[in-house]
Structure formats: C-alpha cells, structure tokens
Amino acid sequence: MTQHDAALNKVVQWYPGHMVRAMRKIGEYLKLIDIVVEVIDARAPRSDANPMLDEMIGARKRLIVLSRHDLADPATTKAWVADFAARNRTAIAVEGHQQQSVSKILHALTALAAEQKGSSRAIVVGLPNSGKSSVINGLLRRSAARTEDRAGVTRQLQWFRLSPTIELMDSPGILVPKIGTPESQWKLALIGAVPRERYDPVEVVFHFHRWLVARSKGRTTVPDLDAFARARGFMRRGGEIDEHNAAQSYVRAFNEGAFGRISLETPDGGSGA
Ligand SMILES: Nc1nc2c(ncn2[C@@H]2O[C@H](COP(=O)(O)OP(=O)(O)OP(=O)(O)O)[C@@H](O)[C@H]2O)c(=O)[nH]1
Ligand SMILES: [Mg+2]
C-alpha cells in the first residue's frame, strides 16, 4: 500500500446513523415490495453496487437504472447493459435529471407491474447521490422528491403514487459499512457518492489521474492537478498552488463532464474508456 493509498483509506469510510436506520427500514418494508429499482452510476457500476442490498433484494423483480449516461463513455455503458442482460437483469441507461430520458424506465416498470394482479409497490434504492430522487421526479414528471448535487440528501423513506396501480418509494442512499478497496474509495469519492467533507480531494484527484495515465499508456489529454490549478488560476501569492481548492474544483469539473465522458469501470474488470 502506498502512502497515497493509506491516506485515502482513512478518509473515505462513511456509514452514518441515517444509513444504518435506512437499511433496517428497507429490510422491514421489503415484505411489502414487489419491484426493486436499483440506481447505479454508469461510470462505476462495480464500485457503485451494494452486496448488502443484493442479499436483501433476494429474488424480487429487479430493474437496474444506469444513471449519468451523459457523463459515462457510451460504448462502456452499452457493454454494461449487455453484461447485465447476460446475467438476466434488465438495465436501462438514463440521464436521471432529464425527464424524457427517465421515461424509458416507465415502460419497463409498467411491464413488470403488469405481471402481477392488483397494485405494485416499487422501491428505488442505490448508493448516495446516484440519482434515485431524480429518477422518481422524472417518473412522476414533477419535483416531488428533493434532489441536490451532494450525497446524503434523502434521509427518510417516502412513498409516491406513480399510477393507479404503481406506488414508488424513495430511499436514502446506502453505502457498505466498509468500502472495499482503495480503488473503489477514490472512485466513489470522485463520482460524488461520499460527501465532500469526508475525503481529501487532493488524494482523490491524484489517484484518478494516476489511473488515467496508466490506462491511456501516458497519452491522456486530461490535465493533472498541477496543470489544472495553473490553467484555472488556483495560485497563492508566491506562485504556490492552492491544492485543496483546485482539487475540489477538479472533482466538480469531472462531474460536469469537463474532461469528456469517462467511465471508470468496464464489465470485464478492466478500466473504462
Ligand atoms: N449529469 C447528470 N446528473 C444527474 C443525473 N442524475 C442525477 N443527476 C444529478 O445528480 C445529483 C444527485 O441526484 P439525486 O437524485 O439527488 O441523487 P440521490 O440518489 O437521490 O441522492 P441521495 O438522496 O443524496 O442519496 C443532482 O444534482 C441531480 O441533478 C444524470 O444522469 N446525469
Ligand atoms: Mg435522494
């Protein structure tokens, strides 16, 4: 483990009380639930999956929504959809904050609900900030659930009526109590699944850029922190770089797509395009 890995390992663990409670509540509600809609960030579907949820969901009907399609590499997202299909799971790639894009989910959800008599209850689950509440709003065609560009916005389970026969439940984002590898940690921090105050952005940017250089065999055009800071004027008096603020801005720029559409994981276990 490098010094950078050690630094990252200490900062990116986050499992607050509301998640513990939400996990317990989801478990209690699950007996009422027919369909589970799992919202996963298309840029990191492996790190963004939650094995604890897998266990709880069991054999229930399941629909996977790959959010942030607009920020992920399109070919990699296509490969993920095919990979889920090979494992008998339906995955739909969407731009969660675009109502028209989310309407693709409605068709699949309605088909799943039609498989059973009477009304259906669906719960929307996933990691913090993955886009769950945006998906709910897109399906309802109104701003019913609160959304914000930070992790941990939704704190409570909440029901919404989608149609006379389908009820939807929004839920707080749930991380695993201990995020597996340092690689998953920086990826989850970079895509916004962990609140900004829980990690050192300088470490996250360092890891991201080191990974990008290795993947592209040194040919990436994405700037490192130093070049980014200089280009955007994050300098202190005396010519020193203001690393912390530059790194925060770097993470924001990544999530605004300023470096292009970048997937961090591919289904074959390699690094995304
Ligand atoms: N670019 C882009 N932004 C998205 C997409 N989906 C959601 N967002 C944005 O991501 C942020 C988080 O979305 P939310 O819907 O609040 O996420 P959430 O999963 O409910 O978050 P928590 O309740 O905090 O767990 C918001 O600023 C959304 O506008 C997407 O597909 N693409
Ligand atoms: Mg939410």
Side-chain angles (χ1 to χ4, degrees), residues 132-133 146 153-154 170-171:
K132 302 173 293 300
S133 300
R146 195 161 72 112
V153 171
T154 305
D170 194 9
S171 73

Side-chain angles (χ1 to χ4, degrees), residues 154-258:
T154 305
R155 294 299 181 110
Q156 310 263 333
L157 299 173
Q158 196 181 355
W159 285 110
F160 299 94
R161 179 161 289 284
L162 176 61
S163 73
T165 55
I166 305 176
E167 273 184 287
L168 272 180
M169 183 185 253
D170 194 9
S171 73
I174 312 280
L175 278 168
V176 284
K178 186 161 174 25
I179 304 167
T181 61
E183 181 149 337
S184 282
Q185 295 194 27
W186 71 253
K187 286 178 180 173
L188 291 176
L190 184 65
I191 66 174
V194 180
R196 292 186 256 289
E197 63 278 11
R198 301 297 305 185
Y199 63 88
D200 179 353
V202 176
E203 290 297 330
V204 168
V205 171
F206 170 84
H207 279 269
F208 165 64
H209 200 266
R210 185 175 69 172
W211 167 87
L212 203 56
V213 168
R215 192 194 64 172
S216 65
K217 302 194 170 56
R219 284 196 299 272
T220 180
T221 54
V222 176
D224 64 6
L225 185 57
D226 200 80
F228 179 86
R230 285 174 201 285
R232 303 243 180 158
F234 283 98
M235 309 302 288
R236 290 211 178 92
R237 245 183 280 161
E240 208 184 304
I241 287 172
D242 179 358
E243 274 198 325
H244 187 81
N245 282 323
Q248 276 189 334
S249 174
Y250 193 111
V251 171
R252 257 196 316 275
F254 174 82
N255 286 296
E256 285 163 2

